[in-house]
Amino acid sequence: MSTYEAIAMLLAIAYILLAVRQNLWCWPAAFISTLIYTILFFDVSLLMDSALNAYYLIMAVYGWYSWKYGGKLKEQELEVSSYGLIKNIKIIFVLTLISLSFGYVMANYTSADFAYIDSFTTVFAVFATYMLAKKILENWVYWIVIDVVSIYIYIQKGLNLTAILFVIYTVLAFVAFKKWKEEYDKKATTTA
């Protein structure tokens, strides 16, 4: 446990709370938090998690832009949308194959710990982050699974504050899904 881990954790909580409320300022909080986590995960040999957080840095910038200007009309804020069941099943299948491939490489050619599990959470988190940046409702379901698996990894690596953070993330992902779903259903009812 370190001061940097505590700062990253607090900023990560701020990020998720702001994201639940669809507040644009979630992205700067995410940027700083992930910068810290990129370094921390590299230091404890969670190489895929470190790479994932480097990706999050880029997505924080993209998410800011997408939420602010990604609507159908020029310079309109993005609205919550859904992929639907069939598209999500296809996505899960493809991401699972990619995860297994990365897991094999990490297990056989690097010193990475938890190679397959770390690859799974990383690959799915990459796509879930894209979904969040596009305000796709189901991103929260992906995050619930990713967060639960991540809790185990972080406890095993002695990153206890980060494990607590992911417990909080899991609860907030449930809350966010409910809130975004209500907004999505309300919009669908209004449109119909």
Side-chain angles (χ1 to χ4, degrees):
M1 198 175 337
S2 70
T3 303
Y4 291 115
E5 185 183 6
I7 292 168
M9 177 186 174
L10 292 173
L11 287 169
I13 291 170
Y15 157 70
I16 195 76
L17 289 172
L18 291 166
V20 169
R21 300 182 72 210
Q22 298 181 51
N23 185 306
L24 194 57
W25 288 99
C26 70
W27 298 109
F31 185 88
I32 297 167
S33 174
T34 57
L35 178 61
I36 296 168
Y37 273 122
T38 301
I39 297 164
L40 286 175
F41 289 142
F42 186 81
D43 286 345
V44 296
S45 293
L46 290 175
L47 304 181
M48 291 297 285
D49 271 347
S50 183
L52 175 62
N53 276 273
Y55 165 76
Y56 287 160
L57 291 171
I58 297 164
M59 289 305 291
V61 174
Y62 175 76
W64 171 277
Y65 181 83
S66 179
W67 279 28
K68 188 160 180 77
Y69 303 112
K72 291 179 183 172
L73 300 175
K74 188 176 180 181
E75 296 191 19
Q76 176 189 19
E77 286 195 19
L78 199 60
E79 294 180 353
V80 175
S81 60
S82 174
Y83 279 163
L85 181 62
I86 301 301
K87 186 171 183 175
N88 276 296
I89 289 171
K90 291 176 183 175
I91 289 167
I92 291 167
F93 178 75
V94 170
L95 293 179
T96 298
L97 292 178
I98 294 169
S99 298
L100 291 171
S101 299
F102 273 112
Y104 177 82
V105 170
M106 298 305 285
N108 291 290
Y109 301 103
T110 74
S111 62
D113 291 337
F114 302 102
Y116 285 95
I117 298 171
D118 194 22
S119 293
F120 164 82
T121 57
T122 300
V123 168
F124 275 81
V126 164
F127 196 76
T129 302
Y130 170 78
M131 292 170 69
L132 177 61
K134 290 298 194 179
K135 288 193 179 178
I136 305 299
L137 174 65
E138 296 87 1
N139 90 84
W140 297 113
V141 178
Y142 286 61
W143 283 119
I144 291 166
V145 175
I146 294 163
D147 294 345
V148 168
V149 173
S150 296
I151 291 166
Y152 168 76
I153 294 173
Y154 299 139
I155 288 172
Q156 294 302 311
K157 295 306 286 184
L159 296 170
N160 297 323
L161 280 180
T162 304
I164 292 167
L165 171 64
F166 275 71
V167 169
I168 294 167
Y169 271 178
T170 304
V171 171
L172 291 175
F174 276 105
V175 171
F177 179 79
K178 183 179 182 297
K179 185 172 179 170
W180 283 33
K181 177 99 169 78
E182 288 170 358
E183 180 181 320
Y184 177 77
D185 291 343
K186 183 178 175 182
K187 181 186 162 220
T189 303
T190 305
T191 306

